[in-house]
Amino acid sequence: MSEAVLIERHGATLVIKLNRPDRRNAVDYAMSQAVAAALDTLDAEAELRVGIITGAGGSFCSGMDLKAFVAGSRPEVEGRGFGGLTEAPPAKPLIAAVEGYALAGGFEMALACDLIVAADNASFGLPEVTRGLVAGSGGLTRLVRRIAPALAMEYALTGRHLGALEAHRLGLINRLTAPGEALAEALALAAEIAVNAPLATIASKRIMIESADWTAAEQWDRQRPLVDAVLATHDAQEGARAFAEKRPPLWRGE
């Protein structure tokens, strides 16, 4: 694994730490490849239930490495997008733990996550228009679905930063913490998720994301096979038995 990305295992949670603190974790191609590989590990290993992406050195990610871009290198991984994440998020839940800045591509990576935990002094933004660029790694299409469209348009067209307190008020951030505590709170949130049935968790995430594109007429037909597949598993039976027997369930992921 590249030193630009550090991997830590905390029980059922995989922590992926962007590790270029001298560049505020600006993303180059090597970092994108390393993140993609880590996300493959998250989805491939049954004992892992939740992923967290965070940044070293007190900042989440300042976006694309502009020096590398000027030199002719782009950070996108084929089929995976910016940061090895934005075009192909993992099937399992992914949390962004944000300290400091999550700007440009860094904000796009956070938006590609399912949940965001942030320090109350963190700052988000899509400043691409101020540099002659476009937030083309999902920032524009995701932000407009996460907050009021008129506000998303304003932040995208002005490039203005969005403070964590306001982002939380707008429903973009799940949990606010004191500075330096975002990762600890993200681990606590991950632990709440990880105790649940893994197949049911994955299916729930998939339905919530994919249903944004479903018409009302097709909603039930599209959802039914995903739900029925989970209901047919050992874990569905185990969950019901454990409830009746007043004991914690023992999930097998099958």
Side-chain angles (χ1 to χ4, degrees):
M1 192 68 67
S2 167
E3 290 186 359
V5 172
L6 303 177
I7 303 300
E8 301 172 1
R9 294 171 183 260
H10 296 256
T13 300
L14 186 71
V15 176
I16 303 165
K17 184 174 291 186
L18 309 180
N19 188 41
R20 300 182 75 203
D22 57 320
R23 303 297 303 276
R24 287 187 176 174
N25 301 318
V27 178
D28 60 7
Y29 185 67
M31 179 182 278
S32 293
Q33 286 184 306
V35 171
L39 294 176
D40 285 342
T41 297
L42 172 64
D43 272 345
E45 297 191 13
E47 63 270 23
L48 294 172
R49 306 286 179 82
V50 185
I52 295 173
I53 290 187
T54 191
S59 193
F60 182 73
C61 176
S62 59
M64 179 171 62
D65 185 328
L66 293 179
K67 289 184 178 179
F69 173 70
V70 171
S73 175
R74 292 185 56 166
E76 295 90 355
V77 174
E78 182 69 27
R80 307 297 289 269
F82 183 87
L85 165 64
T86 57
E87 291 182 24
K92 294 177 182 177
L94 186 63
I95 303 169
V98 179
E99 300 277 353
Y101 291 104
L103 300 177
F107 191 17
E108 293 181 291
M109 291 179 71
L111 287 168
C113 296
D114 304 299
L115 305 166
I116 300 176
V117 175
D120 58 20
N121 63 347
S123 185
F124 302 81
L126 297 174
E128 280 85 349
V129 293
T130 70
R131 297 290 181 266
L133 304 171
V134 175
S137 295
L140 301 175
T141 56
R142 287 187 170 109
L143 186 61
V144 76
R145 294 181 178 183
R146 300 277 284 269
I147 66 175
L151 290 176
M153 184 73 75
E154 180 178 343
Y155 282 110
L157 298 186
T158 63
R160 194 171 69 245
H161 289 194
L162 172 61
L165 295 176
E166 179 67 3
H168 183 260
R169 188 186 70 81
L170 295 175
L172 184 63
I173 292 174
N174 295 82
R175 298 185 181 183
L176 282 174
T177 75
E181 297 297 321
L183 178 56
E185 185 65 24
L187 284 166
L189 178 56
E192 289 185 50
I193 296 169
V195 298
N196 297 318
L199 297 180
T201 300
I202 290 170
S204 296
K205 169 180 170 171
R206 180 177 174 185
I207 290 169
M208 293 188 75
I209 291 173
E210 293 185 4
S211 63
D213 298 320
W214 296 348
T215 66
E218 67 185 358
Q219 171 182 335
W220 302 110
D221 288 339
R222 296 286 294 273
Q223 177 178 279
R224 189 171 294 109
L226 301 177
V227 174
D228 288 349
V230 172
L231 294 180
T233 64
H234 164 275
D235 281 358
Q237 293 294 315
E238 167 63 9
R241 280 194 294 267
F243 178 78
E245 296 168 7
K246 297 182 173 57
R247 60 171 176 81
L250 299 173
W251 310 122
R252 294 191 342 205
E254 57 186 39

